[in-house]
């Protein structure tokens, strides 16, 4: 009988191997103990969240993978990932999860943790600063448009000062270095 030739080629891996010594075992508990994390451990990796996500196709880490990474303790990778900031907050994943895992809200928690560590993408930080400085994100009608229409330069009754003051004293203001 012919001898089967031994294979010497290493197996093909589609993802980088996980370095067990680099896992943060407390990360799972950190997210689990937050108000949105109660059902985290119930995830059975069905990928329904990813199938429901309108933009996951362009992500390196899909929603179900991010949930799995949290469960494994891949804190560094999750908090440094672009995906947590690219989430559209459409809640499609969360609505469809058969295990009631609050995927969208968990991504919010991850953003908050990343922000507390100073990992805020520059475009998000700029938006945050604008919000804290102006008390609003979008100018409802630009001054020049109002002038063209023969209206007063400012929108009558628009009060943003209290919002500005409140935001400056908030955690968001402190994280963005906008507190007094
Ligand atoms: S849909 Fe829910 S149970 Fe399925 S992988 Fe996503 S989080 Fe886990
Ligand atoms: S909330 Fe975010 S992760 Fe969930 S489906 Fe929408 S874009 Fe995807």
């Amino acid at each position: 009988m012919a001898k089967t030739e031994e294979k010497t080629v290493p197996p093909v891996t589609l993802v980088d191997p996980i370095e067990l010594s680099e896992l943060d075992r407390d990360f799972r508990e950190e997210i689990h103990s937050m108000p949105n994390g109660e059902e985290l451990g119930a995830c059975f990796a069905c990928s329904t969240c990813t199938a429901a996500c309108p933009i996951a196709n362009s992500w390196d880490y899909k929603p179900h993978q991010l949930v799995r990474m949290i469960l494994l303790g891949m804190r560094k990778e999750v908090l440094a990932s672009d995906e947590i900031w690219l989430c559209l907050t459409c809640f499609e994943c969360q609505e469809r999860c058969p295990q009631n895992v609050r995927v969208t809200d968990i991504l919010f928690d991850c953003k908050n943790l990343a922000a507390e560590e100073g990992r805020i993408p520059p475009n998000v930080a700029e938006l945050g600063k604008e919000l804290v400085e102006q008390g609003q994100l979008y100018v409802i009608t630009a001054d020049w448009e109002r002038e063209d229409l023969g209206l007063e330069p400012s929108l009558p009754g628009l009060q943003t000062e209290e919002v500005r003051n409140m935001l400056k004293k908030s955690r968001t203001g402190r994280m963005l270095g906008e507190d007094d």
Side-chain angles (χ1 to χ4, degrees), residues 49 52-55 59 63 87-94 103-104 107:
C49 48
C53 179
I55 54 167
W59 289 4
C87 169
L88 301 170
T89 324
C90 67
F91 285 88
E92 292 287 341
C93 51
Q94 190 158 315
V103 185
T104 315
L107 294 184

Side-chain angles (χ1 to χ4, degrees), residues 42-50 64 67 93 96-99 101 103:
C43 171
F44 51 24
C46 67
S47 310
T48 302
C49 48
T50 293
H64 74 287
V67 173
C93 51
R96 286 173 172 74
C97 174
Q99 295 294 86
V101 178
V103 185

Side-chain angles (χ1 to χ4, degrees), residues 10-56:
V12 175
T13 51
L14 298 176
V15 290
D16 291 335
I18 294 168
E19 201 53 66
L20 290 183
S21 61
E22 287 180 9
L23 296 180
D24 182 339
R25 306 278 178 194
D26 298 331
F27 188 39
R28 174 191 180 134
E29 196 40 48
E30 191 177 5
I31 297 288
H32 184 250
S33 64
M34 290 177 162
N36 299 314
E38 209 176 321
E39 292 83 9
L40 174 68
C43 171
F44 51 24
C46 67
S47 310
T48 302
C49 48
T50 293
C53 179
I55 54 167

